[in-house]
Structure formats: C-alpha cells, structure tokens
Amino acid sequence: MTKKILVMCNEFGSAGALLSPVQKFIEDKKADISVVCHGPAIDVFKSKNIKYNDLEHYGVKEANIDDANNIIKREEPDLVFTGFSQPPFFLEKYIIYLSKLNNLKSVSILPGYSNSRKLVDGNNAGEEFMFMPNYILVLDENAKNEMIENGFGKDALIVTGQPYFDDLGRLRAGHSLEKTMEIKREEGIDLDRYLILFASQYLEDLARTD
C-alpha cells in the first residue's frame, strides 16, 4: 500500500527548503504527496506547478489546534513533513504535536541558523520540546552541534545540507566550458577573464507583507 506524506509550510524560506525534497518525492512516485501551504509558501509551490491545497480548502479560519487536527483527520498521513514558522503562525507546530499523539512520524527542515529552542518549546514551564518532531534536517555540523548544546538529542538531528542548493548541483552537472565561453561572448566579457555570479536572497519576497 502506498504511503502518504503530508507536507505543511507557511514561510517562504521553509517552502524553498521543502521544495526540492517534495519534487523528488513526486518524481519517484513512491508515496502520495499532499501539500498544504499558506502565505508566502504558496508562491513557491505555485512557481513550480506543484499541486497544493491552501487553508481555505480545509475550512481553516483561525489556524488553531482544532484546525490542525481536522487536517490530519482528513488527510490521514503516514508521515508529516514540515518547515518551521515564527509566531503568530503555529499550525506547523500543532501538526507536529498532534502527530505525536497519533503515533505518526514527523520530520522538519531547518534551512538555516535559528533560535531553535523557540521553534520546539511551548510557552509555559514543563513544555520543553513540546513541538519537537521525530527528526530535524539541519544545514551542517555547526548547526547540529549548536542545537545539541541547546539540549537537542543528537540522534534526532540529521545533516542534509541546504536543499536550496540541489538545483545548483544539477545545473553544474549540465554546464560546460563551452557554455561559459558563450555567456562571456554574449556579455562582452574577455574570454580570459573570470566570470563571477553573485546571487542574493529574494529580499523583496522575504520582506513583503500580505
């Protein structure tokens, strides 16, 4: 029987990190993928023509724990795969918390450095790691070691690198010296000079507000 993965995200950065794994899941056809997104994340999946459902599809109005429970009941996933969002959006946290209660495995991507305990702790005493998934995919060994120092269990942290860069690997594999020379000719650059690409973040998208 085919397993089902529920993907949940809200923020632009989280969606960008989830995008490459989700594309791989879809290409491999080894699981049914259900993407649920909100806010800036919608534009990321829409840009790659990946099918998704927004919160209105589930009748979500307040994005509270009851709404999260309704999504899980409706989708009936075998695995939950999420990003992390900052307050006041807590739906991903609720999805992770409810996954524990329903004995579902959960995996989250942390695409950069962050105050990681704020992402998994509750607001009250005794709620440490209340929203901790089974596994967190982290950027590098430095991020992993920093999180271990902050109390995370090392077995729950998996170094995967930055998923944003997956496309760069594919582009490099398809590139050649001949293509570099062609670009230099088109841009009027001397063939014996270096060609350097600087790529910044999508600051306009990151800074935008609804």
Side-chain angles (χ1 to χ4, degrees):
M1 184 176 178
T2 304
K3 299 294 185 180
K4 186 172 188 179
I5 300 175
L6 172 62
V7 180
M8 165 70 73
C9 62
N10 170 66
E11 295 191 352
F12 188 90
S14 292
L18 287 165
L19 184 61
S20 182
V22 168
Q23 287 177 310
K24 183 64 174 175
F25 292 150
I26 293 172
E27 290 169 5
D28 288 348
K29 298 180 179 179
K30 293 181 179 179
D32 292 329
I33 310 299
S34 182
V35 177
V36 181
C37 53
H38 177 63
I42 289 177
D43 290 339
V44 175
F45 289 98
K46 186 184 291 185
S47 70
K48 297 297 183 179
N49 297 315
I50 292 177
K51 181 181 178 182
Y52 68 90
N53 291 318
D54 59 21
L55 299 186
E56 290 183 4
H57 177 79
Y58 302 93
V60 171
K61 295 182 179 180
E62 299 181 6
N64 56 32
I65 195 166
D66 290 330
D67 290 323
N69 194 41
N70 289 336
I71 292 173
I72 287 181
K73 285 184 175 180
R74 186 161 169 179
E75 292 293 342
E76 296 184 334
D78 299 286
L79 173 71
V80 169
F81 190 33
T82 79
F84 283 109
S85 288
Q86 300 291 342
F89 189 84
F90 292 108
L91 204 56
E92 288 152 314
K93 285 187 173 184
Y94 296 145
I95 290 285
I96 292 169
Y97 175 72
L98 291 168
S99 296
K100 294 181 182 181
L101 298 184
N102 288 279
N103 296 315
L104 299 174
K105 293 292 184 182
S106 56
V107 179
S108 298
I109 284 186
L110 186 61
Y113 294 92
S114 173
N115 186 344
S116 48
R117 284 296 297 267
K118 283 184 65 176
L119 300 175
V120 300
D121 286 351
N123 295 324
N124 303 311
E127 294 180 348
E128 292 80 8
F129 296 100
M130 180 177 181
F131 303 108
M132 176 69 187
N134 293 101
Y135 301 100
I136 298 179
L137 311 183
V138 299
L139 184 64
D140 54 28
E141 289 293 339
N142 289 332
K144 178 178 180 178
N145 291 335
E146 183 179 289
M147 292 173 71
I148 291 172
E149 291 177 2
N150 285 329
F152 287 81
K154 64 179 182 178
D155 291 338
L157 306 176
I158 302 173
V159 176
T160 59
Q162 173 54 275
Y164 272 122
F165 298 152
D166 288 355
D167 282 342
L168 291 180
R170 287 190 283 268
L171 289 170
R172 182 177 182 181
H175 196 67
S176 66
L177 179 59
E178 181 180 344
K179 289 183 178 180
T180 299
M181 294 297 123
E182 182 180 341
I183 293 171
K184 288 182 178 181
R185 293 187 189 97
E186 290 176 353
E187 299 298 326
I189 300 172
D190 292 341
L191 299 184
D192 60 347
R193 295 180 71 86
Y194 285 105
L195 177 62
I196 299 174
L197 170 67
F198 170 74
S200 182
Q201 298 186 66
Y202 297 109
L203 295 179
E204 182 178 350
D205 288 319
L206 289 170
R208 79 176 190 177
T209 55
D210 293 335

